[in-house]
Amino acid sequence: QITLKESGPSLIKPTQTLTLTCSFSGFSLPSREMGVSWIRQPPGKALEWLALISGSDNKRYSPSVKNRVSINKDTWRDQVVLTLTDVDPVDAGTYFCAHIGGLREPPSLWGQGVLVTVSS
Amino acid sequence: QSVLSQPPSASATPGQRITISCSGSSSNIEINSVSWYQQVPGTAPKLLIYNNSRRPSGVSDRFSGSKSGPSASLAISGLRSDDETDYYCAAWDDTLSALVFGTGTRVTVL
């Protein structure tokens, strides 16, 4: 059974760096076909894909945050870490991580999400 | 800045069939598979349809997906009160090299 859970700060100040961790079980990232995506959702707004990483360490980033985002995996801990630098209030929202079956596959199983507020 | 366009709302009475459209372009829907998600506000999205028309195990056959050119549709038949929530389409965009989501549709059961 695949499960994912996001963790990170609930409140962060503008210009700081946001670091979120996705801890998962039920699959292994050394598996080349599998991976993890990060998606966020501002309050009351649509879903926005941010980044993905595959088991073979292929990475893709959304053009909207490409200059500020990075994604990395810790295979031993079964974790994927998303880092977003220089945050702004528009970066506030719920951040989800999700399992993907391949680079271009849709997120299938999602974590519960973590709500992040950006405020001074 | 959603790349895929959906109607903001759709409604029908219980038992009826409802269709939600998702409009894209030659760089996303026309050449890549479409997926659909159901999201109850405050919870994580649930995958309803993948590869345009396939349902994951456990998803009701009341939900069906189709695609034609740069557009896709999600149909819900035998509408029920618990179908009243938000729905999103998604597809890979080759130009952006990114996964793109639709603007979302709120379904209301009258």
Side-chain angles (χ1 to χ4, degrees), chain B residues 26-103:
Chain B
S26 57
S27 63
N28 43 65
I29 291 179
E30 189 154 356
I31 56 174
N32 292 310
S33 296
V34 178
S35 54
W36 288 91
Y37 296 88
Q38 178 190 62
Q39 185 184 29
V40 175
T43 70
K46 172 188 174 183
L47 182 64
L48 285 181
I49 298 288
Y50 67 100
N51 283 2
N52 306 321
S53 59
R54 303 193 65 166
R55 285 185 304 274
S57 174
V59 172
S60 171
D61 59 4
R62 297 188 301 107
F63 296 94
S64 61
S66 63
K67 186 179 86 167
S68 178
S71 296
S73 295
L74 172 72
I76 310 173
S77 60
L79 199 63
R80 300 173 2 177
S81 59
D82 59 356
D83 296 327
E84 183 168 289
T85 191
D86 300 326
Y87 295 84
Y88 293 91
C89 58
W92 190 261
D93 188 290
D94 280 15
T95 297
L96 298 173
S97 194
L99 181 70
V100 291
F101 283 95
T103 49

Side-chain angles (χ1 to χ4, degrees), chain A residues 37 39-41 45-49 52 60-64 96 103-113, chain B residues 1-2 31-32 35 37 39 42-47 50-51 88 92 94 96-104:
Chain A
S37 262
I39 304 102
R40 70 180 178 184
Q41 186 172 38
K45 295 191 177 181
L47 299 164
E48 179 189 14
W49 176 80
L52 68 80
R60 299 287 187 272
Y61 298 110
S62 168
S64 67
F96 299 97
L103 270 182
R104 297 158 68 95
E105 295 296 315
S108 53
L109 293 168
W110 297 53
Q112 62 189 24
Chain B
Q1 57 266 43
S2 301
I31 56 174
N32 292 310
S35 54
Y37 296 88
Q39 185 184 29
T43 70
K46 172 188 174 183
L47 182 64
Y50 67 100
N51 283 2
Y88 293 91
W92 190 261
D94 280 15
L96 298 173
S97 194
L99 181 70
V100 291
F101 283 95
T103 49

Side-chain angles (χ1 to χ4, degrees), chain A residues 81-95:
Chain A
V81 177
L82 181 82
T83 302
L84 184 66
T85 63
D86 192 25
V87 299
D88 179 270
V90 300
D91 294 312
T94 300
Y95 285 72

Side-chain angles (χ1 to χ4, degrees), chain A residues 5-117:
Chain A
K5 187 173 184 179
E6 307 84 351
S7 59
S10 57
L11 176 64
I12 187 171
K13 291 179 168 54
T15 75
Q16 289 187 330
T17 295
L18 174 65
T19 300
L20 297 172
T21 300
C22 176
S23 302
F24 58 85
S25 63
F27 67 100
S28 177
L29 270 192
S31 170
R32 288 192 168 194
E33 291 76 29
M34 295 193 180
V36 170
S37 262
W38 281 94
I39 304 102
R40 70 180 178 184
Q41 186 172 38
K45 295 191 177 181
L47 299 164
E48 179 189 14
W49 176 80
L50 297 175
L52 68 80
I53 187 167
S54 74
S56 53
D57 213 34
N58 276 312
K59 303 174 185 179
R60 299 287 187 272
Y61 298 110
S62 168
S64 67
V65 294
K66 190 171 185 176
N67 294 332
R68 300 191 293 129
V69 71
S70 67
I71 189 170
N72 290 285
K73 60 183 174 73
D74 184 333
T75 303
W76 298 109
R77 296 184 180 181
D78 283 343
Q79 291 180 334
V80 168
V81 177
L82 181 82
T83 302
L84 184 66
T85 63
D86 192 25
V87 299
D88 179 270
V90 300
D91 294 312
T94 300
Y95 285 72
F96 299 97
C97 64
H99 169 266
I100 57 174
L103 270 182
R104 297 158 68 95
E105 295 296 315
S108 53
L109 293 168
W110 297 53
Q112 62 189 24
V114 59
L115 178 62
V116 177
T117 300

